[in-house]
Amino acid sequence: MRKARAAAILAGLALAVAACGNAPTTTQPTASESAPATAGAKTLQGVKLEVAAKWTGAEQKNFEQVLKAFSDKTGAEVTYASTGEDTGAFLGPRIQAGSPPDVAILPQPGLVQQYVDQKALKPLTDAVTTEIDTNYTPYWKELGSVGGQVYGVLIKAAHKSLVWYRSQAFDDAGVQPATTWDELVKNSQAIADSGTPPFSLCGASGWTLTDLFENVYLSTAGPENYDKLSKHEIPWTDPTVTTALEKIQQIVGKQEFLVDGTSGTMQTDFPTCVSKVYSNKKAAMVIEADFVAVEAVQSGAKVGDEAKYFPFPKAGDTPPVVLGGDVAVAMKDSPGAMALLQFLASKEGGEIWAKLPGYLSPNKNVSPDNYPDELTKQLGQTIVSAGDAVRYDMSDLAPSAFGGTDGKGEWKVLQDFVRKPTDIKGAQEALEAEAKKAWK
């Protein structure tokens, strides 16, 4: 659900920023301009490859430019197929028929394990793994691995550690963007006292509450505990979870902090929560990912002017950077498939893609200077600066019954917690009960 909406609106992110006059208006480079063909013989001349991914529209066109750069360099003929939003529905019959695409782009790392269990993926060659070791932190390599064997490479990211705000509301309250959680709570009281509820939370969309929890938990508990909780190696009744929920309680426990109160919050979905900040001007802030920019523009706000953001403030020792992303895998053991994955994992491939709109790279060697607008450059820099502390969306790493189902699991328990934030112990016990069922 959330990936479907994020994919659709991320494609227009940089275009929306440019339309608001906040991005450079330079001509978009073509793939051939970005990466001219290598001189001499083309090593994959005559080889045909099929690549399947969910992207359509502008996202598809941009990715096809990256594929063209690969074709220009190697001579391979690459065909793109869109899976639509249900990747499994597209790949399942193809796998069963013995005719999968050479390369598939999976919308979350959990699917790597699923397809490995089906014996549908091919282990990456040493050359591809070396490229990953050169350009990615060990954490990202692990996300594409099963049982110590590398099967996938993270090639595209969404930035989930942001707080978007309406500049006029901050000016009216005389506050500046917070860098710590305590500052955020203090600013929220000042904004409330000025007559504007500080937060528009998307309580009807449970996934937004998991994003909020993940940022607070990563900051307070640290990356190692984040990894353990994401695998259910520590229980949800652990004191580290208590600490995170206590922090969140400081926001959701005050009616004056929530636009339309708790009742209204629980009836507000994404993107309506963004509209309440920028269209209706009823609230000052919305906590969500980079794709809020497009919704803000659709509400009539100018990104960089009325619609601004600041990094999710530190609630503990770690500045949180939580990402979503897409994983490229090989479904055929062919030199062409492996060559394409090596190209997508490379600094060269990442920089070609980074020059096009709507893209963020988890590749640590792709300089933010390659991005086409200031917003994306800033987001890219936070990924680079966070280094080994960057983490993937925890709920997307969990079994879908726990972390990805509307009205069930973590989504429902966190919604219940917002309704009754005084019952932290009850929320933890409910989360642990749901986790035990999902991790059987």
Side-chain angles (χ1 to χ4, degrees), residues 186-202:
K186 182 179 178 181
N187 287 352
S188 298
Q189 188 62 62
I191 294 169
D193 291 344
S194 75
T196 298
F199 292 102
S200 177
L201 298 183
C202 328

Side-chain angles (χ1 to χ4, degrees), residues 43-285:
T43 56
L44 296 177
Q45 194 75 49
V47 172
K48 294 184 178 181
L49 294 172
E50 183 186 21
V51 181
K54 67 184 180 184
W55 302 313
T56 59
E59 276 190 308
Q60 176 181 331
K61 291 178 181 178
N62 289 341
F63 183 54
E64 286 175 335
Q65 290 201 50
V66 179
L67 296 178
K68 184 178 185 302
F70 172 76
S71 296
D72 289 346
K73 180 175 182 177
T74 64
E77 181 182 333
V78 185
T79 302
Y80 177 84
S82 177
T83 66
E85 291 303 334
D86 194 339
T87 303
F90 177 92
L91 293 177
R94 294 284 300 272
I95 293 170
Q96 292 175 8
S99 60
D102 296 88
V103 170
I105 315 296
L106 307 179
Q108 62 189 97
L111 292 175
V112 176
Q113 175 77 63
Q114 175 181 318
Y115 287 117
V116 168
D117 291 344
Q118 296 178 20
K119 302 187 185 305
L121 301 187
K122 306 301 180 184
L124 302 188
T125 61
D126 289 343
V128 183
T129 302
T130 298
E131 198 73 58
I132 294 171
D133 288 337
T134 300
N135 297 309
Y136 292 80
T137 66
Y139 176 75
W140 294 114
K141 180 180 179 181
E142 182 182 345
L143 286 182
S145 303
V146 174
Q149 177 64 59
V150 187
Y151 289 92
V153 55
L154 271 289
I155 59 171
K156 194 172 189 287
H159 199 304
K160 296 197 162 196
S161 297
L162 303 174
V163 179
W164 289 84
Y165 68 99
R166 184 163 51 84
S167 56
Q168 187 61 55
F170 272 43
D171 291 344
D172 291 344
V175 299
Q176 297 294 322
T179 59
T180 68
W181 187 262
D182 288 345
E183 286 179 4
L184 181 67
V185 175
K186 182 179 178 181
N187 287 352
S188 298
Q189 188 62 62
I191 294 169
D193 291 344
S194 75
T196 298
F199 292 102
S200 177
L201 298 183
C202 328
S205 298
W207 58 268
T208 67
L209 301 180
T210 69
D211 289 346
L212 171 59
F213 173 82
E214 288 155 9
N215 277 285
V216 175
Y217 188 80
L218 176 57
S219 187
T220 55
E224 291 185 9
N225 282 321
Y226 186 99
D227 293 343
K228 291 177 182 177
L229 188 62
S230 70
K231 300 172 185 176
H232 200 215
E233 292 176 353
I234 57 176
W236 283 81
T237 50
D238 192 82
T240 57
V241 178
T242 308
T243 299
L245 292 179
E246 286 173 345
K247 296 286 187 183
I248 297 172
Q249 183 191 56
Q250 292 178 302
I251 287 177
V252 301
K254 289 193 173 185
Q255 289 292 308
E256 67 268 30
F257 279 13
L258 305 178
V259 64
D260 299 324
T262 301
S263 177
T265 292
M266 301 317 299
Q267 297 177 57
T268 302
D269 65 359
F270 186 92
T272 305
C273 52
V274 182
S275 300
K276 287 187 176 183
V277 174
Y278 295 113
S279 180
N280 302 334
K281 296 179 172 53
K282 295 177 64 177
M285 291 178 279

Side-chain angles (χ1 to χ4, degrees), residues 2-3 5-13 16 157-160 162 164 207-208 211 270-271 274 287-298 324 360 375 379:
R2 76 184 113 172
K3 293 124 190 137
R5 181 152 196 98
I9 54 188
L10 269 172
L13 173 61
H159 199 304
K160 296 197 162 196
L162 303 174
W164 289 84
W207 58 268
T208 67
D211 289 346
F270 186 92
V274 182
I287 301 172
E288 248 314 315
D290 50 353
F291 46 76
V292 165
V294 173
E295 298 295 345
V297 170
Q298 291 180 353
L360 283 171
L375 173 64
L379 295 173

